[in-house]
């Protein structure tokens, strides 16, 4: 109930901000997004949400995968045990639900520089404090296009997403690896050693 109340307050803040912008004349920072901008931002947000979800899975939870056909001794030579968070079963289920989280996002531009973002209105700690730093962009679709774009990206890039999250070692920088390097949705430069993507601070707090 508390989360729902905070969410309604966040939506109310956007609506009030929109009316204020209309009354005063649209702020330059709140100009509409290009289709390329919003698709890039949704791709990054989707990968961020997947990394956050994977990071919350109990690292002790494991699952047996592979060929379950038995040999002459009754053992399966191809069967192996992996982290549950890296299993195709878990990741497929996550991809089926991750786009629902786009309902918590809204298009906005930072007041200080006009930089576009899709801002998550609610965090695990309540309303996102960055809401006061942006002008929300309303384009008539009430941000429903964010979820639709997410579904499109996940469907088109399913195999690439699975490979990224199933690889051995820590899962990180998937927003750049998928959205820029593999899918070509964004135009960032290749990852540098000291690169740290937006949302990493939130992961560190979890």
């Amino acid at each position: 109930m508390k989360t729902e109340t905070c969410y309604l307050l966040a939506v109310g803040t956007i609506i009030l901000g929109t009316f204020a912008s209309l009354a005063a004349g649209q702020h330059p920072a709140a100009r509409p997004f290009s289709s390329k901008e919003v698709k890039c931002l949704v791709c990054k947000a989707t990968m961020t949400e997947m990394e956050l979800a994977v990071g919350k899975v109990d690292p002790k939870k494991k699952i047996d995968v592979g060929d379950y056909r038995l040999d002459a001794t009754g053992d399966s030579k191809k069967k192996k045990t992996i982290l549950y968070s890296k299993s195709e079963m878990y990741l497929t289920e996550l991809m089926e639900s991750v786009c629902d989280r786009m309902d918590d996002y809204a298009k906005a531009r930072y007041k200080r520089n006009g930089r576009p973002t899709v801002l998550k209105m609610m965090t695990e700690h309540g309303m996102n404090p960055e809401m006061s730093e942006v002008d929300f962009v309303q384009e008539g679709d009430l941000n429903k296009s964010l979820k639709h774009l997410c579904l499109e990206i996940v469907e088109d890039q399913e195999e690439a997403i699975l490979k990224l999250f199933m690889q051995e070692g820590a899962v990180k920088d998937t927003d750049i690896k998928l959205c820029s390097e593999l899918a070509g949705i964004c135009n960032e430069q290749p990852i540098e050693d000291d690169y740290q993507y937006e949302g990493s601070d939130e992961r560190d707090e979890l």
Side-chain angles (χ1 to χ4, degrees), residues 21-66:
S21 296
L22 290 173
Q26 188 181 45
H27 192 284
R31 66 186 184 278
F33 286 24
S34 69
S35 58
K36 185 173 180 62
E37 281 179 326
V38 69
K39 189 170 184 178
C40 172
L41 292 167
V42 168
C43 184
K44 288 182 175 183
T46 302
M47 291 299 96
T48 298
E49 288 291 346
M50 286 198 64
E51 282 198 32
L52 288 169
V54 167
K56 293 177 182 178
V57 177
D58 185 351
K60 296 180 181 179
K61 188 173 183 179
K62 298 183 178 181
I63 186 173
D64 292 332
V65 297

Side-chain angles (χ1 to χ4, degrees), residues 6-202:
C6 290
Y7 178 77
L8 291 174
L9 287 172
V11 173
T13 300
I14 294 177
I15 294 173
L16 289 173
T18 301
F19 279 119
S21 296
L22 290 173
Q26 188 181 45
H27 192 284
R31 66 186 184 278
F33 286 24
S34 69
S35 58
K36 185 173 180 62
E37 281 179 326
V38 69
K39 189 170 184 178
C40 172
L41 292 167
V42 168
C43 184
K44 288 182 175 183
T46 302
M47 291 299 96
T48 298
E49 288 291 346
M50 286 198 64
E51 282 198 32
L52 288 169
V54 167
K56 293 177 182 178
V57 177
D58 185 351
K60 296 180 181 179
K61 188 173 183 179
K62 298 183 178 181
I63 186 173
D64 292 332
V65 297
D67 189 347
Y68 283 83
R69 289 177 296 179
L70 303 180
D71 59 18
T73 64
D75 295 325
S76 174
K77 293 182 179 180
K78 295 183 180 180
K79 186 175 70 174
K80 63 179 181 179
T81 301
I82 64 171
L83 293 173
Y84 179 70
S85 62
K86 291 185 177 294
S87 68
E88 184 173 350
M89 180 179 70
Y90 167 72
L91 292 171
T92 299
E93 291 177 352
L94 178 57
M95 285 190 289
E96 290 175 352
S97 63
V98 68
C99 292
D100 291 337
R101 305 182 189 194
M102 292 300 108
D103 291 337
D104 296 333
Y105 285 77
K107 288 174 280 189
R109 288 185 182 273
Y110 283 95
K111 296 176 181 178
R112 63 181 179 273
N113 55 19
R115 180 169 63 86
T117 184
V118 286
L119 189 70
K120 189 172 185 178
M121 295 181 289
M122 297 298 303
T123 70
E124 293 189 348
H125 308 293
M127 291 178 62
N128 191 332
E130 289 191 21
M131 289 179 64
S132 62
E133 301 175 15
V134 302
D135 288 315
F136 288 99
V137 178
Q138 290 298 327
E139 298 176 333
D141 64 358
L142 299 178
N143 294 299
K144 292 180 181 179
S145 62
L146 303 184
K147 184 174 181 178
H148 294 158
L149 282 171
C150 175
L151 290 168
E152 177 185 314
I153 291 166
V154 169
E155 181 178 356
D156 291 345
Q157 304 299 327
E158 180 178 358
E159 290 187 13
I161 294 171
L162 284 174
K163 288 181 180 178
L164 282 175
F165 282 88
M166 292 175 71
Q167 65 186 355
E168 294 184 5
V171 175
K172 62 179 182 178
D173 304 330
T174 57
D175 63 331
I176 296 296
K177 291 176 182 176
L178 179 82
C179 305
S180 297
E181 297 178 1
L182 296 176
I185 296 172
C186 304
N187 296 322
E188 279 89 354
Q189 297 297 316
I191 296 172
E192 301 292 341
D193 290 340
D194 60 351
Y195 174 77
Q196 190 173 37
Y197 79 170
E198 293 180 13
S200 59
D201 292 341
E202 183 177 352

